[in-house]
Amino acid sequence: GNSVTQMEGPVTLSEEAFLTINCTYTATGYPSLFWYVQYPGEGLQLLLKATKADDKGSNKGFEATYRKETTSFHLEKGSVQVSDSAVYFCALSHSGGGADGLTFGKGTHLIIQP
Amino acid sequence: SQTIHQWPATLVQPVGSPLSLECTVEGTSNPNLYWYRQAAGRGLQLLFYSVGIGQISSEVPQNLSASRPQDRQFILSSKKLLLSDSGFYLCAWTWTATGYGYTFGSGTRLTVV
């Protein structure tokens, strides 16, 4: 079956530090890959996505590249801010339409200190 | 534009009481609809999904049920809540288009006491 593995944290960084949150996946076929962010007490928001190999998703300074050869979709940001503190979820869905929903990693709690 | 509404935001219920959480989507038709649960310290677990009125697929056996009485309405229910039903419940929708992102509601924090 499908699965997503990501570092759980918490990951604590200082403001302006470089961020990497690793995500690897197991799936048949060619899934679409997503990063979602959950701020305290809120639902999930789509941060970025990639639908095929070598695609790079980007948003709000965050980037992730779909690497089929390493089955990875690592999230990066060059300079984090306190406002980036949140839980980040890596997820995949099948390219066949996604009727079976998303498969999520367990989430990475990111804490940015001023 | 499309919006998704989920209520209530917070709920405290005694063990053995019934549950009804509602989710509605506006601005689209025939969406795929989903219920997820996020238990404390754990990731997101898909509970149910629906591709049309009256069509419900269950991912895990549990004390919960789901219904879709209208195209854009998705309801999560229980006849008798258990302590283990506590968690953060999220409704989501998507189109069937390949790779289209899922949009989530703001969630319901359920505490069973």
Side-chain angles (χ1 to χ4, degrees):
Chain A
N2 300 333
S3 67
V4 176
T5 303
Q6 63 178 110
M7 51 201 299
E8 293 186 35
V11 173
T12 303
L13 296 173
S14 297
E15 205 166 19
E16 299 184 0
F18 185 85
L19 168 71
T20 299
I21 300 178
N22 290 337
C23 170
T24 57
Y25 68 90
T26 301
T28 56
Y30 301 94
S32 295
L33 302 174
F34 305 86
W35 276 101
Y36 281 84
V37 58
Q38 183 180 33
Y39 297 102
E42 298 183 11
L44 272 68
Q45 301 176 27
L46 178 63
L47 182 59
L48 52 85
K49 66 176 182 177
T51 58
K52 61 182 187 297
D54 299 325
D55 268 2
K56 177 185 283 187
S58 61
N59 186 26
K60 298 181 181 179
F62 291 89
E63 293 183 341
T65 301
Y66 189 142
R67 301 288 188 198
K68 192 173 189 324
E69 64 275 14
T70 55
T71 61
S72 65
F73 193 53
H74 303 324
L75 183 68
E76 296 181 337
K77 186 173 184 181
S79 177
V80 293
Q81 305 300 314
V82 172
S83 57
D84 293 327
S85 298
V87 180
Y88 292 80
F89 291 91
C90 186
L92 68 83
S93 74
H94 265 297
S95 57
D100 54 346
L102 288 163
T103 300
F104 284 92
K106 291 189 176 181
T108 300
H109 187 194
L110 175 65
I111 301 170
I112 306 301
Q113 296 178 333
Chain B
S1 63
Q2 301 83 26
T3 56
I4 180 168
H5 302 282
Q6 191 179 339
W7 67 91
T10 306
L11 193 59
V12 179
Q13 292 284 98
V15 169
S17 64
L19 173 73
S20 181
L21 302 181
E22 189 163 343
C23 171
T24 59
V25 180
E26 296 179 356
T28 187
S29 60
N30 197 32
N32 290 343
L33 296 172
Y34 306 83
W35 279 110
Y36 286 87
R37 177 170 59 198
Q38 184 178 25
R42 301 176 64 180
L44 285 147
Q45 181 185 35
L46 178 63
L47 302 176
F48 300 95
Y49 69 91
S50 171
V51 298
I53 295 174
Q55 301 179 57
I56 307 295
S57 296
S58 175
E59 288 296 296
V60 293
Q62 59 214 326
N63 185 41
L64 302 169
S65 63
S67 62
R68 185 170 178 174
Q70 301 180 42
D71 180 46
R72 291 169 289 176
Q73 184 185 30
F74 204 25
I75 297 172
L76 183 69
S77 304
S78 174
K79 293 182 179 178
K80 289 186 178 181
L81 284 168
L82 306 171
L83 286 174
S84 57
D85 292 323
S86 294
F88 192 50
Y89 288 81
L90 288 159
C91 181
W93 78 273
T94 190
W95 282 323
T96 57
T98 299
Y100 190 83
Y102 293 65
T103 302
F104 286 82
S106 54
T108 296
R109 174 76 58 192
L110 171 66
T111 304
V112 182
V113 296

